Amino acid sequence: MPYSPATPSASSPTHRLALAVVTQPERAPNPFMAAPSGAREEAMRFLLQTGADAGVRLIATRPEGDGERLLGQAWPFPSPFQVTVRTVPLSEGLDRIEARARRSLERMGLPRGEVLLVSNAAELAGAEGRALWDRLRSLKDKGLFRAIGFCATVEDGPALLARRLEADVVQVPCSLLDQRAAQDSVLEAIAEAGAAVHLSSVFAGGVLFAGGDELPPELAAHAQSLSRTRRRLAEQRCDPMQAALGYALSLKGVDKVVASVASAAELRAILAAAHAPCPNLDWASLALEAPAALTADARARISSAA
């Protein structure tokens, strides 16, 4: 039976949002950094309750850092949330991947997860790719996860991989600045392959919010283009976050839009932007001419929203 999300998308944009809680020093101020343990747990509890009250139902997690433990200590009761879990690198071995996926659930105090994602689709194309996928399928068959899938870039050929593996979920980056996954019909092809589409990097790693002096050297050539995009948005009285979410939520075939958030205040801003009416913008005119420049390394060096 094809995978269907436990919480189907509803008319409200909030039901299509998934939250990736940032607990590492990826931007400042971050209430999860340099704070007493009790304060960190209270900040997480407040953030989660804010999301729960708004109707958010999916939390996207990573195995790095202390985020899973914090989540496990702060879930609302009863918790309305499902979680996506990501694998550790294949270089750590298949046994370690399986053990760490189980450990992720234990740290969060959950008997099962919604989705288990291979963190790097390229690992599925290698010599151990089939064995890796079989491990994930085994965890699904045992009832530890309702669905399995992978995180991919446009260059990975995610639609063909999803069809070959009969994946349940594919997470792929797409944003106002890098629209290739939409413009090249990659998102539609993934959905046609039978996989639910989760959109990541919708804020382009914070590039859309960064001033010219905040851009890393490899993106300096795009400063003028970014300034022009922000100016066009200002002329339409549409702020960058509103535009980023408006674009992501407008895309057909997308089941979830993953937004990173570091505090309840940020979440409230995201929720307000998601619900704000968006002007009739020419989305294509707002994209960078060379969006492949938005590499993970470049984005990681910008301290704004991810």
Side-chain angles (χ1 to χ4, degrees), residues 9 14 65 95 102 138 140 158 167 171 184 208 224 231 243 261 264 273 287:
S9 296
T14 304
D95 290 342
R102 291 175 178 273
S138 174
K140 176 185 174 181
Q171 182 169 303
D184 298 342
L208 189 59
Q224 186 174 356
R231 184 172 63 253
V261 58

Side-chain angles (χ1 to χ4, degrees), residues 111-125:
R112 65 189 59 84
E114 181 70 7
V115 185
L116 178 59
L117 297 168
V118 175
S119 294
N120 184 354
E123 295 178 339
L124 293 167

Side-chain angles (χ1 to χ4, degrees), residues 172-195:
V172 63
C174 188
S175 70
L176 187 65
L177 298 180
D178 182 0
Q179 302 179 18
R180 290 175 296 163
Q183 292 177 344
D184 298 342
S185 301
V186 174
L187 302 178
E188 292 181 16
I190 294 172
E192 290 173 358

